[in-house]
Amino acid sequence: PEGADVNESAVSREHHISTTEDGIVSVAGGKLTTYRLMSAETVEAAMAVLSKQNLLGEHGPKPETGLIPLPGAAGWETGAPLW
């Protein structure tokens, strides 16, 4: 909270991913330096929902979020699609 006497580095910035019974996947918390991990875990949670609902087929695709270069990274082409 603003004005509180708190050491900012001691504040937890962990993220939490939850899935409702209806299959809505939510992510809360986190920090910029872990957004790629949060994204990968969110995609995995969404794919688990789709698999449970039999929407991925018997052998659905595996997440490849860790294989796609980030915009501006070595190996990323300017104007390349982000998916």
Side-chain angles (χ1 to χ4, degrees):
E2 188 175 332
D5 188 20
V6 177
N7 179 351
E8 290 186 25
S9 63
V11 175
S12 174
R13 288 180 176 77
E14 294 180 9
H15 64 277
H16 177 74
I17 298 170
S18 61
T19 305
T20 66
E21 290 182 21
D22 295 336
I24 297 172
V25 178
S26 300
V27 60
K31 57 185 178 178
L32 183 60
T33 57
T34 60
Y35 78 93
R36 187 117 187 200
L37 173 63
M38 289 187 298
S39 300
E41 291 177 356
T42 303
V43 167
E44 289 173 2
M47 291 182 75
V49 168
L50 294 173
S51 179
K52 186 176 180 180
Q53 296 172 353
N54 295 318
L55 297 174
L56 287 180
E58 188 175 330
H59 302 287
K62 296 187 181 202
E64 296 182 356
T65 55
L67 304 176
I68 302 170
L70 299 174
W76 182 74
E77 298 175 25
T78 303
L82 298 177
W83 57 90

